[in-house]
Amino acid sequence: QQDVLLVRQIRKLLYEDGFTIEGARTQLSAAPETVSQSVKIDAMVKKVISDLESVLQNLQAELSTNH
């Protein structure tokens, strides 16, 4: 579990935030709790977006069967 969180943190720093490997290493050692919180929030937002897209698809399917 902890390893998965660390990999997500590293991936976010490298690919989403644009850090170099050395920059990501520095960021993780300087403020690991901030990065961890950011990754958790990002995962939560992605989950909410996914849930909303599912609701939208259900509503669209419902509308198309009623017309």
Side-chain angles (χ1 to χ4, degrees):
Q1 180 79 9
Q2 196 68 12
D3 290 341
V4 172
L5 182 59
L6 180 61
V7 169
R8 286 182 180 168
Q9 290 173 332
I10 293 169
R11 191 187 80 208
K12 181 180 184 323
L13 288 169
L14 294 175
Y15 297 108
E16 294 178 22
D17 297 341
F19 282 91
T20 62
I21 293 172
E22 189 59 37
R25 183 179 292 135
T26 302
Q27 188 73 17
L28 282 170
S29 64
E33 65 283 341
T34 302
V35 175
S36 177
Q37 187 65 22
S38 175
V39 169
K40 289 177 185 176
I41 290 170
D42 189 49
M44 205 179 324
V45 168
K46 287 178 182 176
K47 172 80 168 98
V48 168
I49 289 170
S50 174
D51 290 348
L52 288 172
E53 288 174 340
S54 177
V55 168
L56 178 61
Q57 288 175 351
N58 290 339
L59 288 172
Q60 288 173 336
E62 185 74 26
L63 283 174
S64 67
T65 59
N66 288 337
H67 282 95

